[in-house]
Amino acid sequence: MDKLCIRGQNPLRGEVAISGSKNAAVAIIPAALLANDVVTLENVPHIADVANLVSIMRDMHVQVDYLDEHTLRIDSRNMVNDCANSEGVRKMRASYYLLGVLLGRFKHARVAFPGGCDFGVRPIDLHVKGFEALGASVTTKAIIEMKATELLGTNIFLDFASVGATINIMLAAVLAHGTTVIENAAKEPHVVDTASFLNSMGADVKGAGTDTIRIRGVRRLHGSEYAIIPDQIEAGTYMVASAVTGGDIKITNVIPRHLDSISAKLREIGIRIREEDDAIRVIGGGRLKPTKVKTLPYPGFPTDMQPQMMVLLSMVNGTSMINESVTDNRFRYVEQLQKMGANIDVEGHIAIIEGVDRLSGSEVAATDLRAGAAMVLAGLAAEGTTYVTNINYIDRGYEGMVDKLKLLGADIERTGGSDPVLRVIKDHAG
Ligand code: UD1
């Protein structure tokens, strides 16, 4: 099993370029299958979740070629509609987008149950309600099966502004008859990016980024060339990396507006932030103040930045609080930070953090993707050596994290092998 070995307390300095957004890529790559044509996607992140999607699609006879490390050509003209037994689907939650895509294109989908990071109950009932409202009959047994004679546009009010349900309903509705209106829609940057991509293929989606999205169904979509937005959470993670090490990092290829809630919190704590058009400089050091954080749907503070923020607050003198209001059970990793000396008390959705002077190196496990990133940040800040295990979680969503951190001056090594994502891509080279 690969591990990371980190010798901490080097202030990070220099420049780091952010990769394409994981959460946009895992929606846009399957969305390309709606076109029955050729789609070229640029700025595709080089991560395990993408490699997994590529294998799932190749198993469905989709021709997927890497034109370069970050550019995918997807030709779905000869695809077969079958991923009911796919192991790949069971490995990641975002494979749920195949449901909306296959229902939209074929009016029939049989998809294995999606897996993914375990931070509590993560149902997909809102997705299913949306598909049913569009006219599909849905059965969920060992696999999820959906059928419709035709899909008819309708009004759908989401009980919760779910990212997955908003995107999935959009995917199914772009080829439906009539107009679908999603109310209380999620507003995350990747929802907007997916809508822009669908429009680039000839869809008619308006209002993405607001509470109300209107999708006027079209008869068919065509091929397109599209570049995926930069990853908001990867950028946020490097922002905190600078903060926890008292560093000075310029983070390039970002959309600073997507980082507003993160920048605002870091500024409140005492971190200096300078924004440019497509870069952000984060300067740590100095006296930091404790604060309160509540995770919320966009534009609120992202739940995917909660563990990273926890690491920072665990080293800020005084009492801070984190209220996790988006997911059910996302504090499992706290036990790992406690091994490093963090003083954190969790009760239900609330964590109370008493800042300590320093964390100490230890062996800790990544319990999910963002918790894994948090362990790396803790290791970078800690005194002594930290070993992070279960790093396959980190590979799912962070492109070249070790190399990027090394360039910033971190003392970090991966033991046990080379870049496994590259291996997957090479093994499946088309
Ligand atoms: C997406 C992101 C994930 C992020 C999360 C919240 C992708 C691939 N993943 O996940 O990184 O942490 O948004 O910003 O984009 N819920 C239901 N029923 C549903 C759907 C959701 O009860 O049908 C509840 C669940 O408790 C779930 C929470 O809402 O944990 C958030 O769900 P949602 O916004 O849909 O997030 P995900 O699609 O799981």
Side-chain angles (χ1 to χ4, degrees):
M1 261 301 197
D2 289 10
K3 270 188 198 180
L4 296 179
C5 168
I6 307 164
R7 277 171 286 273
Q9 295 196 320
N10 282 341
L12 301 187
R13 291 187 198 289
E15 245 182 69
V16 61
I18 295 307
S19 302
S21 158
K22 163 190 167 282
N23 284 349
V26 296
I28 287 174
I29 293 170
L33 305 183
L34 284 164
N36 191 13
D37 202 344
V38 180
V39 167
T40 305
L41 296 177
E42 292 167 14
N43 204 29
V44 178
H46 180 56
I47 53 176
D49 269 9
V50 164
N52 186 35
L53 265 179
V54 168
S55 327
I56 296 171
M57 298 201 315
R58 284 182 175 152
D59 287 346
M60 297 166 82
H61 299 198
V62 179
Q63 170 91 32
V64 190
D65 298 306
Y66 278 91
L67 302 187
D68 61 47
E69 203 182 333
H70 296 113
T71 308
L72 274 187
R73 181 183 181 277
I74 302 171
D75 179 350
S76 65
R77 285 173 295 185
N78 296 317
M79 77 174 278
V80 294
N81 178 13
D82 183 11
C83 56
N85 297 312
S86 168
E87 269 314 308
V89 169
R90 293 196 186 93
K91 276 203 255 171
M92 64 189 281
R93 178 162 163 91
S95 54
Y96 54 36
Y97 291 132
L98 288 164
L99 289 166
V101 165
L102 298 179
L103 183 66
R105 176 161 165 181
F106 298 104
K107 315 294 175 248
H108 181 202
R110 292 179 75 236
V111 179
F113 255 100
C117 287
D118 174 14
F119 30 81
V121 186
R122 297 176 81 190
I124 55 163
D125 54 313
L126 299 175
H127 307 226
V128 170
K129 272 198 215 165
F131 297 138
E132 286 174 336
L134 289 168
S137 66
V138 184
T139 51
T140 49
K141 288 190 188 138
I143 59 162
I144 303 172
E145 176 153 22
M146 307 200 288
K147 280 187 193 148
T149 36
E150 62 174 349
L151 296 174
L152 288 177
T154 185
N155 277 29
I156 297 170
F157 184 92
L158 294 177
D159 296 337
F160 173 80
S162 152
V163 170
T166 301
I167 293 180
N168 234 341
I169 294 167
M170 255 180 359
L171 296 173
V174 282
L175 292 172
H177 289 284
T179 299
T180 301
V181 180
I182 309 175
E183 290 183 75
N184 196 28
K187 296 180 276 204
E188 268 69 2
H190 39 292
V191 174
V192 179
D193 206 34
T194 307
S196 306
F197 168 64
L198 291 169
N199 287 340
S200 80
M201 294 197 296
D204 184 352
V205 181
K206 295 200 170 79
T210 74
D211 295 317
T212 307
I213 301 181
R214 275 170 207 283
I215 306 133
R216 197 175 59 79
V218 296
R219 277 169 59 83
R220 63 154 54 96
L221 299 176
H222 52 72
S224 132
E225 284 180 19
Y226 190 81
I228 291 171
I229 52 166
D231 197 298
Q232 174 205 26
I233 305 300
E234 190 197 13
T237 302
Y238 285 98
M239 290 169 79
V240 177
S242 189
V244 291
T245 61
D248 182 349
I249 305 184
K250 182 173 174 181
I251 303 164
T252 62
N253 188 31
V254 298
I255 300 176
R257 185 169 37 89
H258 292 167
L259 305 170
D260 281 350
S261 63
I262 304 165
S263 300
K265 258 312 142 194
L266 290 176
R267 282 192 172 118
E268 205 179 295
I269 295 171
I271 305 296
R272 281 163 296 156
I273 295 183
R274 311 225 200 298
E275 287 176 15
E276 294 170 20
D277 286 348
D278 62 355
I280 194 157
R281 185 172 158 205
V282 180
I283 307 160
R287 208 179 151 71
L288 303 183
K289 296 189 286 291
T291 190
K292 289 186 180 159
V293 178
K294 182 175 184 181
T295 63
L296 286 168
Y298 190 82
F301 190 88
T303 173
D304 283 354
M305 281 299 300
Q306 181 258 99
Q308 300 89 316
M309 201 59 160
M310 182 76 84
V311 174
L312 176 59
L313 293 179
S314 70
M315 288 179 293
V316 172
N317 243 314
T319 309
S320 294
M321 185 176 96
I322 296 186
N323 178 348
E324 173 55 66
S325 87
V326 175
T327 61
D328 207 32
N329 176 15
R330 207 169 180 168
F331 288 133
R332 281 199 315 151
Y333 68 89
V334 162
E335 218 176 280
Q336 306 296 316
L337 283 183
Q338 286 164 339
K339 283 203 226 170
M340 298 179 72
N343 184 354
I344 304 166
D345 251 343
V346 172
E347 270 207 35
H349 288 253
I350 307 283
I352 305 287
I353 307 121
E354 292 296 338
V356 294
D357 286 342
R358 70 184 67 81
L359 298 178
S360 317
S362 175
E363 174 154 330
V364 289
T367 51
D368 65 57
L369 164 61
R370 306 303 171 186
M375 293 309 128
V376 174
L377 298 180
L380 292 170
E383 199 172 65
T385 305
T386 298
Y387 296 93
V388 184
T389 60
N390 286 3
I391 57 174
N392 53 314
Y393 280 118
I394 300 175
D395 295 331
R396 285 194 35 216
Y398 285 90
E399 172 169 340
M401 194 187 220
V402 170
D403 292 341
K404 288 186 184 187
L405 286 171
K406 269 187 175 168
L407 278 175
L408 293 170
D411 186 344
I412 179 168
E413 291 298 334
R414 182 180 188 120
T415 61
S418 57
D419 183 338
V421 181
L422 193 58
R423 223 157 46 218
V424 175
I425 292 170
K426 281 189 175 146
D427 286 352
H428 291 273

